[in-house]
Structure formats: structure tokens, C-alpha cells
């Protein structure tokens, strides 16, 4: 099907091109009445076919190279109530959204996994490998449960995302496009849960 469409397209383009070339080649009113001969038509049809193939290849390459949104980062994502960790529980990780959802006595905190130092992804390392901390694998920055730096070269705590809670269902929405920096932890950064 694609081949047939391509051939038809090439012939149409070739016919149009032959007309244009004929007009350009004759600098008189009489040229308007001259139709391209068979040889011209075949040549221009071939040129049209080649042009159409190149155009399709270009469009395909453009689509391939067009940057795609990776995952759902940048949008508002829902964490189901059953996935919300208990107070001081193991953080819930959302890979597409690039956040960890923490739960302390103040409420919920969605921590951006991008290290504030040079941008590496910071994993949560729990026992037995570590005493519950975020440890950046690149230059060794460490952060506690609420993302406050406890060591390493990072200039500030981990950034956090806006969180809202659906009172009826207990589901949580994390807006991964709304990220805030901070210099220290404050209880108001957490969203009370359940409300
Ligand atoms: S990027 Fe995390 S410590 Fe350097």
C-alpha cells in the first residue's frame, strides 16, 4: 500500500514539476499551451518519485529524532492510598515521576530524586546496607528521611514536589511539574495525611 501511494505521489509531483519546468523554460505566452513530452514526463516523474521518497525519509527521521516525553514526569501523578507508606515507613518510589513519597508525623513529602549537587538520581538505601538514608552514588551526598543533607557536597536538601490528598479516597496527587527548593526541613513542607 505504501509503495503504491508513493508511486502515485511521485507521478503527481512529477507531472506538476514538468508543468512548472515547461513554464519556466518558455519565456512567452505560447509556452502556456506547450505540454511536456513523454521523455520530460518520465524524467520529471522519476524526479518526483525520488523527491517524495526523500521527503518521506526526512519526515520519518524527524519523527524519530523528535524528543519524546519520558514517562509522566512533569504532570500530576496519582499514588493510590494503598501505596502510601505508613509513618516512617519505607518510601514509595515512582520512577516515571522521579520522586519518593515519604510519610512522617507531619504528613507526606514527595522528594525529587534528582541530586541537588550535580543531578544524579538518588536512591533510597535501607537496611541492611544502610541506616535508612538517601545516598547519592556519584559523589556521596547523603540525606535523611525527609531529604535533608547529612553529608557530602550537595548544597541543599533534596527538592520536593507539591502534594495534595483526596479526602474521600485517600489517594495522593503529586505534581511533578511543581518542584520547590529549600534550605532546611520545615513541617509545613509536609502535607497532612490523612486530612
Ligand atoms: S550528584 Fe549527588 S553528590 Fe554529586
Amino acid at each position: 500500500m505504501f509503495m503504491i501511494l508513493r508511486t502515485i505521489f511521485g507521478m503527481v509531483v512529477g507531472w506538476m514539476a514538468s508543468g512548472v519546468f515547461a513554464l519556466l523554460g518558455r519565456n512567452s505566452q505560447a509556452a502556456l499551451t506547450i505540454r511536456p513530452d513523454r521523455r520530460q514526463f518520465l524524467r520529471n516523474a522519476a524526479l518526483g518519485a525520488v523527491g517524495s521518497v526523500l521527503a518521506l525519509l526526512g519526515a520519518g527521521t524527524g519523527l524519530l529524532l523528535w524528543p519524546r516525553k519520558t514517562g509522566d514526569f512533569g504532570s500530576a501523578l496519582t499514588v493510590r492510598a494503598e501505596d502510601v507508606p505508613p509513618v516512617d515507613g519505607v518510601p514509595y518510589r515512582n520512577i516515571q515521576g522521579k520522586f519518593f513519597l515519604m510519610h512522617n508525623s507531619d504528613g507526606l513529602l514527595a522528594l525529587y530524586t534528582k541530586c541537588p549537587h550535580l543531578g544524579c538520581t538518588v536512591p533510597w538505601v535501607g537496611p541492611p546496607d544502610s541506616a535508612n538514608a538517601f545516598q547519592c552514588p556519584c559523589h556521596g551526598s547523603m540525606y535523611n528521611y525527609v531529604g535533608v543533607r547529612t553529608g557530602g557536597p550537595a548544597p541543599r536538601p533534596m527538592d520536593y514536589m507539591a502534594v495534595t490528598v483526596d479526602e474521600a479516597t485517600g489517594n495522593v496527587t503529586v505534581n511533578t511539574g511543581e518542584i520547590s527548593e529549600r534550605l532546611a526541613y520545615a513541617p509545613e513542607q509536609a502535607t497532612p495525611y490523612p486530612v
Side-chain angles (χ1 to χ4, degrees):
M1 185 67 178
F2 174 76
M3 298 282 289
I4 295 172
L5 287 174
R6 190 180 65 188
T7 302
I8 293 173
F9 182 68
M11 292 183 72
V12 170
V13 171
W15 179 78
M16 292 172 65
S18 66
V20 171
F21 290 145
L23 282 174
L24 292 175
R26 315 280 182 191
N27 193 19
S28 70
Q29 188 66 27
L32 293 172
T33 60
I34 295 177
R35 301 182 96 58
D37 61 22
R38 177 183 169 82
R39 199 168 165 183
Q40 280 180 312
F41 175 79
L42 289 175
R43 184 194 63 190
N44 292 329
L47 286 174
V50 170
S52 66
V53 169
L54 290 177
L56 289 171
L57 283 175
T61 304
L63 283 174
L64 277 177
L65 295 178
W66 192 263
R68 290 189 178 190
K69 214 174 119 184
T70 56
D72 296 311
F73 184 69
S75 62
L77 302 179
T78 299
V79 178
R80 296 175 306 170
E82 54 263 42
D83 292 328
V84 175
V87 173
D88 296 329
V90 175
Y92 168 83
R93 184 177 187 183
N94 184 303
I95 294 175
Q96 287 78 23
K98 302 181 182 178
F99 67 84
F100 281 102
L101 189 66
M102 325 297 298
H103 192 181
N104 67 4
S105 56
D106 297 322
L108 301 176
L109 199 61
L111 298 177
Y112 186 19
T113 56
K114 182 179 176 182
C115 182
H117 182 221
L118 292 178
C120 291
T121 298
V122 182
W124 170 258
V125 183
D129 302 317
S130 160
N132 291 331
F134 292 102
Q135 295 184 352
C136 183
C138 294
H139 311 99
S141 287
M142 294 185 65
Y143 309 86
N144 65 14
Y145 191 71
V146 290
V148 171
R149 188 187 71 87
T150 56
R156 63 175 190 274
M158 295 169 72
D159 301 334
Y160 65 104
M161 300 173 175
V163 170
T164 54
V165 176
D166 185 324
E167 296 182 32
T169 63
N171 291 341
V172 174
T173 299
V174 177
N175 187 348
T176 61
E178 189 177 338
I179 300 172
S180 301
E181 297 181 3
R182 57 198 171 140
L183 295 176
Y185 173 73
E188 52 268 26
Q189 293 164 4
T191 302
Y193 186 88
V195 289

